[in-house]
Amino acid sequence: MGQARRERTLGWRPRSLQARQLLAASLGLLAFLAAAGYALDRAFVDVASQLQRDRLRSYASAYAGDIEFDRGGNLIPPYTQPDERFDRPGSGLYAEVVLPGGGWSSESTRGPQLPEAELLEGGAEKFEGPLPITRADGTYGEVLRYGKGFVWDLEQRPEAEFPYTIYIMEDAGTLPQQVRVFRAALWGYLGIAGLVLLLVQALVLRWSLLPLRRVVAELKRVQAGQANRMSELHPRELEPLTESINALVESERQNLEHQRNTMADLAHSLKTPLAVLRTRLESDATEAELREEVATQVQRMNELVGYQLGRAASTGHALFAAPVEIEPHAEQIVRGLEKIYADKGAVCEFEIDPAARFHGEPGDLQELLGNLLENAFKWAHSRVLLTAEVGECAPRRPGLVLAVDDDGPGIPPERIAHVLQRGVRGDERVQGHGIGLSIVQDIVRGYRGELEVGASPELGGARFLVRLPPGL
């Protein structure tokens, strides 16, 4: 907490998701381009070195095909050169033929001081360098040298054989110059490619994070009161978030609406007793009559306040409440009702699925079961049936189906809507306030469920069926 407070004091804020993604992707891209550039550079150097060696070998093979010896073993210089640079002094490309008693060198060797060359055995190859040389102008230089040994036999006799070696040398600066040109082009193109990829990456990240920005914009409109809820057109990864926000907004809106309704209902309910008291105070009633009237109206107001507080406590539920077992709460309620209606001899039967759970506040479950079961006991002749089953399933938590049946007279279809209205009793001769079913409706509505009223297919009386949807 102290660290977080210091960070807020210093004005530090976590980086945005787009900045994090762009930074991470940029670092990864730079690392990839650096590794790719290094690999291409090393591959080019290796290939260029191998090509240079193969080129020198091809020059040596060309000289080997053109060189001839007379009967005295003297070398007859080649008439044509495999490359015109061999004819230019100090051109950077040199050829030498080493013999047991002498040798031959190309015109290009005139001027530079080349390293000493040894005679190789027939068939032997040697690639070495860079070797130091002194150019014609006296400057220092280096060459790469390839040599291959041959054996000449004019008379096809072993005693007449003699070895000779052909050396081809090239300035060592040729390869580094090629490498420098390649590296300049390589890193230039990689740099341009990196900038283009960074731009494309930024555009892709902006496009991919557009749904999040839309969610933030919609949430700001909801906070500002410009919208009632989040829209439903979001990627499926964001659907749980937007659904939860909508559920929270709807729950808060319902709570606020219920509080307003409760206060309005309470004010309206208290208006009549207060008017009666004022009328009696303005009349010529005796003190005893006033006391009796005040006591009656105060009791009435106490009942009204208690009822409204109970209604307020039964509304609203936790969006992510733990599952509540149904049977223990039902047994507790039924035991009390069976005692109250013991003169009827009514009993309640359970058909409860062990897997069925109520995902909400325990108080809501007690209020829901209590009002439905009390209504059933009130009208039943002798039997009441409570059924609980697992409802529609969802990845997060399943729904719930509750049904309460009785063997009473039932409710005519044309009176169902009338009975469900607040303050209306099914029979005015039966004691009650007609608010139980209204409380049930409000609780079911708070959980976005449905209440269906009809005839009981098993007991023949009324059936109250509650369907609660899967949770978020």
Side-chain angles (χ1 to χ4, degrees):
M1 293 296 291
Q3 180 67 20
R5 189 178 296 108
R6 286 194 297 271
E7 290 175 350
R8 288 196 297 269
T9 303
L10 296 175
W12 181 87
R13 296 182 61 187
R15 291 186 178 90
S16 66
L17 291 178
Q18 182 171 344
R20 290 171 180 265
Q21 293 289 338
L22 186 59
L23 178 61
S26 301
L27 293 177
L29 177 61
L30 292 177
F32 170 76
L33 292 177
Y38 176 79
L40 291 174
D41 181 82
R42 296 312 307 166
F44 177 81
V45 171
D46 293 342
V47 171
S49 300
Q50 184 63 37
L51 288 176
Q52 186 176 34
R53 179 175 180 175
D54 292 342
R55 185 173 64 255
L56 298 182
R57 181 188 290 113
S58 67
Y59 288 149
S61 299
Y63 273 113
D66 291 341
I67 288 178
E68 295 182 355
F69 294 89
D70 59 18
R71 290 181 178 277
N74 297 316
L75 185 145
I76 301 175
Y79 292 103
T80 60
Q81 305 296 331
D83 192 307
E84 63 177 7
R85 289 180 294 170
F86 287 110
D87 289 328
R88 295 201 310 267
S91 65
L93 187 60
Y94 317 103
E96 283 186 341
V97 180
V98 180
L99 299 170
W104 171 88
S105 59
S106 64
E107 291 295 324
S108 60
T109 61
R110 298 182 184 280
Q113 296 181 7
L114 302 175
E116 295 292 332
E118 61 179 350
L119 191 64
L120 301 178
E121 296 180 358
E125 290 184 272
K126 188 175 184 180
F127 184 77
E128 55 188 343
L131 302 176
I133 66 169
T134 301
R135 297 189 179 94
D137 58 0
T139 60
Y140 171 81
E142 293 180 330
V143 294
L144 297 174
R145 185 169 67 179
Y146 171 81
K148 185 174 183 179
F150 298 89
V151 176
W152 181 267
D153 182 8
L154 179 61
E155 301 178 356
Q156 301 296 322
R157 292 182 293 110
E159 61 272 13
E161 294 179 352
F162 64 90
Y164 68 97
T165 302
I166 299 176
Y167 282 101
I168 306 296
M169 290 162 285
E170 188 175 19
D171 279 346
T174 303
L175 178 60
Q177 182 179 3
Q178 294 176 346
V179 172
R180 285 194 297 271
V181 173
F182 173 78
R183 285 175 176 171
L186 172 66
W187 294 111
Y189 287 130
L190 284 180
I192 295 174
L195 292 176
V196 173
L197 290 176
L198 285 175
L199 178 60
V200 172
Q201 183 175 263
L203 294 176
V204 170
L205 283 176
R206 183 173 181 82
W207 174 78
S208 62
L209 293 177
L210 183 59
L212 279 179
R213 288 194 291 273
R214 289 177 178 172
V215 168
V216 173
E218 289 184 8
L219 184 58
K220 289 182 178 178
R221 287 198 296 269
V222 171
Q223 291 174 339
Q226 300 173 354
N228 294 327
R229 55 185 286 116
M230 307 285 289
S231 68
E232 298 179 357
L233 300 177
H234 295 287
R236 59 176 176 271
E237 293 83 359
L238 297 177
E239 285 181 356
L241 174 62
T242 56
E243 288 177 0
S244 297
I245 292 176
N246 283 335
L248 179 62
V249 171
E250 185 66 22
S251 177
E252 291 301 318
R253 184 178 293 111
Q254 289 178 358
N255 289 340
L256 179 60
E257 182 180 358
H258 175 72
Q259 292 173 5
R260 290 174 177 172
N261 291 339
T262 300
M263 296 304 297
D265 292 347
L266 179 59
H268 180 76
S269 301
L270 295 177
K271 182 179 180 179
T272 300
L274 290 175
V276 172
L277 287 177
R278 174 174 293 182
T279 301
R280 296 295 289 175
L281 287 174
E282 293 175 355
S283 66
D284 297 332
T286 63
E287 182 178 354
E289 291 175 343
L290 288 176
R291 286 179 178 274
E292 182 180 357
E293 190 63 39
V294 168
T296 301
Q297 297 304 323
V298 168
Q299 178 63 28
R300 173 60 178 164
M301 287 189 286
N302 284 335
E303 293 176 354
L304 292 173
V305 171
Y307 157 66
Q308 296 295 348
L309 292 178
R311 290 281 291 110
S314 67
T315 301
H317 61 281
L319 290 175
F320 308 105
V324 180
E325 291 188 22
I326 298 172
E327 189 168 356
H329 294 277
E331 288 181 349
Q332 181 181 5
I333 294 171
V334 168
R335 280 197 298 267
L337 292 175
E338 288 179 343
K339 294 178 180 178
I340 296 174
Y341 296 94
D343 55 336
K344 281 189 175 184
V347 295
C348 182
E349 303 171 10
F350 289 166
E351 291 184 4
I352 299 177
D353 186 345
R357 293 290 186 274
F358 176 80
H359 294 270
E361 297 291 341
D364 290 342
L365 177 61
Q366 291 179 349
E367 193 73 20
L368 186 65
L369 291 177
N371 284 286
L372 289 177
L373 290 172
E374 182 179 7
N375 183 76
F377 268 88
K378 184 185 300 183
W379 295 98
H381 297 307
S382 61
R383 293 181 61 194
V384 174
L385 175 62
L386 171 63
T387 305
E389 300 175 350
V390 177
E392 182 182 353
C393 293
R396 290 171 288 276
R397 67 187 194 193
L400 177 65
V401 178
L402 288 174
V404 176
D405 298 67
D406 63 69
D407 61 349
I411 305 175
E414 64 275 8
R415 286 189 53 83
I416 291 177
H418 180 71
V419 169
L420 293 178
Q421 293 178 7
R422 180 183 298 183
V424 176
R425 300 195 298 272
D427 189 339
E428 298 297 332
R429 295 169 297 178
V430 179
Q431 184 178 3
H433 298 89
I435 64 173
L437 295 180
S438 177
I439 294 176
V440 170
Q441 288 189 95
D442 289 344
I443 294 175
V444 173
R445 191 181 301 112
Y447 285 88
R448 300 183 304 282
E450 299 176 354
L451 174 63
E452 299 178 7
V453 182
S456 173
E458 297 185 25
L459 303 184
R463 158 173 273 204
F464 290 83
L465 180 66
V466 175
R467 298 181 187 273
L468 300 182
L472 295 175

